[in-house]
Amino acid sequence: MPEIYVTSPRGLRWPFSKGLVVESLANAGIDLEIADEIAHEIEQSLRAAGVGQISSEELKRRMTAAVAERLGQEAARRVAGQTQSFEEIIVRDEYGERPFSKGLLVRSLEEAGFSLKEAHGLAKKVEQELRQAGKMLIDVDELEDLVARIIKETYGKDARRRYQRRLEYGGGIFVVEPGGEPRVPFSKGILSQSLMAAGMSPDRAYRMAREVERELIRQGRMVIDRDELRRMVAEYLERRIGDDVAERYLVLRAVRRLDRPMHILIGGVTGVGKSTLAASLAYRLGITRMTSSDSVREILRATTTRDLVPTLHTSSFNAWKALVEVLGLEGEPSDEVILQGFRDQVARVSVGIRAIQERNARERTSVVIEGVHVVPGFLSHPLQSEVLQIPMLVVVRDEKTHRDRFKIRERETKGRRSMDRYLANFAAMRMIQDHLEALAGTMGVPVIDGDNLDKAVEKALEVITDRFHDLFKREGRELEA
């Protein structure tokens, strides 16, 4: 069916819409059922006449005539006297003219502290009044006065004052440290990152950060103490989500003020999701340094020959093959030989991991280190007492889920990391995972189920929070904002 186009006096052109006709008639007080019938009749008559294009003025004339025939001259005068939904309203200011935009008005209202729902409701009322009054051109000052009046009628004088002062808040809410300096602009992005660290989803965290910003604007706050802001956020979390998330938020905020850096060590065999978990935790906790033990192994390989350290020049799950060659063993390798090859490679790589930990400890920098070589029993170093070391092990207990990870990896890397190589050594990987889990149980290292990333992040944050909670209790510290 050929399209019918509507044209405006300014030369704009868009497809005919029955919905806009119905909306225009409803705005003039016409019953929706009758409005829908009139819109349908107009469309049918245009198609029957083979009209491919109609001006907005002619469309308005046809609507007015149809209403006069059905409902009389009074209803027709209301239609004729208003600006239709398909007609532009032009806003004029010192810079020129632009079309009225309900979307821009909604954004401006949000900046004044109104919720998205409230802002949409107010913007709809403003547009409806403009169209009912037949406005096709309005000065920006007159529009501002109209918006302010509708806000006052809907929400009162304080809300109107807040809207009129909204420009004062454009990046103008500041957060200060105790004592008053330094002050930094309030950031929804930084706050939402803190909320994500407490376990909230990115979307929900950002919505709450916007809500906090709106509340500050409602209160007329242009400067707020950081501790007071934390208490405010904690109260929001407690009311909206629960005590556990609020407590986690406070613990993780307190972590930022500790003198000692945090070293998060994430172990696990290939394909369990260590790298993804490490990246998620680093982002949520604001840690900028992240290292993979595979990178350490690559550096060590570049400094030693295969003849000198053969187990270093293999993958972790088949290091036993180099060991078999050195020892001259024959036949199928025993479980102990497979594990011995793995442990030999771990012992070599852990030298580099310890060096990274020591350097970050000396520089008092937090870091996330992940990899198959991050193994309980190989993680200590001379400066360990100067950092808060939090080890954890990621496992995938379901074999099918673990196998499927390699299929996904092959697809995501476009075949560069073939699943065949991993699946050929799958039995060795599973054996190594069982060995690591047994070590973790013996040494009290928390085990994270890697089947689901969101749940893994949640559990890892829980581990970190519990670790610091215990620390505060041992040191006799109160958990404060």
Side-chain angles (χ1 to χ4, degrees):
M1 187 177 293
E3 195 78 76
I4 301 171
Y5 288 93
V6 181
T7 61
S8 77
R10 295 205 306 162
L12 300 177
R13 184 171 178 263
W14 62 91
F16 170 85
S17 166
K18 276 201 312 182
L20 288 178
V21 174
V22 171
E23 184 181 303
S24 297
L25 293 171
N27 202 39
I30 308 301
D31 179 79
L32 278 175
E33 187 174 341
I34 295 175
D36 187 62
E37 289 174 2
I38 290 174
H40 181 71
E41 288 171 4
I42 290 174
E43 182 184 35
Q44 291 300 105
S45 66
L46 291 173
R47 295 196 182 282
V51 175
Q53 183 169 293
I54 184 172
S55 68
S56 56
E57 297 96 327
E58 173 61 18
L59 179 57
K60 183 175 181 177
R61 190 195 64 75
R62 290 187 180 226
M63 288 167 51
T64 304
V67 169
E69 184 179 340
R70 282 199 176 219
L71 302 173
Q73 290 301 318
E74 177 59 33
R77 276 194 292 272
R78 290 200 307 270
V79 173
Q82 73 175 9
T83 304
Q84 311 305 328
S85 296
F86 50 81
E87 293 180 302
E88 286 184 311
I89 299 172
I90 302 299
V91 180
R92 181 170 55 198
D93 60 19
E94 58 184 304
Y95 302 106
E97 297 180 349
R98 66 180 188 278
F100 169 80
S101 168
K102 198 160 59 174
L104 288 177
L105 179 55
V106 167
R107 193 181 310 165
S108 180
L109 290 163
E110 283 192 286
E111 289 172 359
F114 293 98
S115 70
L116 184 61
K117 183 179 180 180
E118 290 170 340
H120 272 292
L122 289 167
K124 185 176 180 180
K125 286 183 180 180
V126 169
E127 182 183 32
Q128 187 175 43
E129 186 156 328
L130 287 172
R131 293 194 179 282
Q132 287 175 342
K135 287 284 186 181
M136 298 192 75
L137 177 66
I138 185 170
D139 288 331
V140 69
D141 291 340
E142 185 183 353
L143 178 59
E144 284 280 298
D145 291 342
L146 172 62
V147 175
R149 175 173 61 77
I150 289 176
I151 289 173
K152 179 186 174 185
E153 291 171 356
T154 309
Y155 294 107
K157 291 181 180 179
D158 290 342
R160 179 190 65 183
R161 191 177 303 114
R162 193 171 70 241
Y163 173 75
Q164 291 172 329
R165 293 182 58 199
R166 72 192 183 282
L167 296 179
E168 298 175 18
Y169 296 101
I173 301 175
F174 288 89
V175 181
V176 298
E177 299 296 338
E181 293 295 340
R183 61 167 58 190
V184 295
F186 171 83
S187 167
K188 293 191 291 292
I190 292 174
L191 177 55
S192 60
Q193 186 177 5
S194 299
L195 293 169
M196 282 190 285
M200 296 181 71
S201 68
D203 182 59
R204 194 173 187 185
Y206 190 75
R207 285 203 307 270
M208 181 163 284
R210 290 185 66 177
E211 194 171 330
V212 169
E213 181 186 49
R214 283 198 296 268
E215 181 59 28
L216 291 172
I217 294 173
R218 285 180 191 276
Q219 295 176 10
R221 303 291 295 274
M222 297 187 71
V223 178
I224 185 170
D225 180 84
R226 188 174 297 282
D227 288 344
E228 185 181 353
L229 177 61
R230 286 181 179 133
R231 284 193 294 272
M232 177 181 175
V233 174
E235 288 170 3
Y236 261 79
L237 290 171
E238 190 173 339
R239 289 198 307 269
R240 303 293 177 84
I241 302 177
D243 295 347
D244 54 339
V245 178
E247 183 178 35
R248 185 184 301 165
Y249 168 78
L250 289 176
V251 168
L252 294 173
R253 291 307 86 208
V255 166
R256 296 290 186 96
R257 304 199 294 277
L258 292 176
D259 293 333
R260 284 180 286 175
M262 175 167 48
H263 288 188
I264 300 177
L265 309 174
I266 305 174
V269 297
T270 304
V272 295
K274 303 179 300 298
S275 301
T276 306
L277 177 61
S280 296
L281 291 178
Y283 176 74
R284 289 167 182 263
L285 298 170
I287 298 175
T288 57
R289 291 194 182 181
M290 191 171 74
T291 302
S292 163
S293 70
D294 282 342
S295 300
V296 176
R297 181 179 60 186
E298 288 300 319
I299 293 169
L300 293 174
R301 282 176 177 176
T303 61
T304 58
T305 65
R306 180 182 294 272
D307 292 338
L308 187 61
V309 189
T311 57
L312 195 60
H313 291 264
T314 64
S315 295
S316 59
F317 47 75
N318 61 14
W320 60 270
K321 292 182 180 179
L323 198 62
V324 164
E325 289 179 14
V326 171
L327 299 177
L329 300 176
E330 296 180 358
E332 286 296 315
S334 66
D335 292 355
E336 182 53 36
V337 168
I338 292 174
L339 293 176
Q340 184 56 42
F342 169 72
R343 285 192 292 261
D344 189 83
Q345 185 179 107
V346 168
R348 313 288 182 178
V349 177
S350 63
V351 174
I353 295 175
R354 284 196 294 271
I356 291 172
Q357 290 178 270
E358 286 184 51
R359 173 159 186 165
N360 282 282
R362 283 195 300 272
E363 294 178 352
R364 311 197 72 74
T365 304
S366 293
V367 65
V368 178
I369 303 175
E370 62 84 14
V372 67
H373 310 95
V374 180
V375 175
F378 292 85
L379 306 177
S380 60
H381 59 91
L383 300 179
Q384 188 170 323
S385 61
E386 298 182 21
V387 304
L388 291 162
Q389 184 166 292
I390 306 177
M392 56 187 78
L393 175 71
V394 184
V395 301
V396 173
R397 295 192 176 93
D398 182 73
E399 290 195 20
K400 183 181 183 305
T401 300
H402 197 177
R403 287 178 183 274
D404 288 344
R405 293 282 176 87
F406 299 114
K407 296 177 184 177
I408 295 170
R409 177 181 290 184
E410 181 180 60
R411 186 167 63 247
E412 290 178 344
T413 61
K414 297 181 179 178
R416 290 190 301 275
R417 301 181 71 178
S418 170
M419 68 175 181
D420 293 340
R421 175 169 169 265
Y422 296 106
L423 295 182
N425 294 278
F426 190 68
M429 283 186 210
R430 300 296 295 181
M431 184 190 305
I432 292 169
Q433 176 172 280
D434 292 342
H435 173 66
L436 292 176
E437 192 165 3
L439 279 176
T442 301
M443 305 192 71
V445 172
V447 176
I448 309 292
D449 192 333
D451 285 6
N452 180 286
L453 175 61
D454 291 335
K455 290 181 179 179
V457 171
E458 177 76 17
K459 178 62 178 176
L461 290 172
E462 200 175 288
V463 167
I464 294 167
T465 305
D466 290 346
R467 173 75 170 80
F468 281 101
H469 218 332
D470 292 342
L471 175 68
F472 295 153
K473 283 183 178 179
R474 288 197 305 272
E475 295 181 351
R477 296 176 50 180
E478 293 292 328
L479 182 59
E480 300 174 348

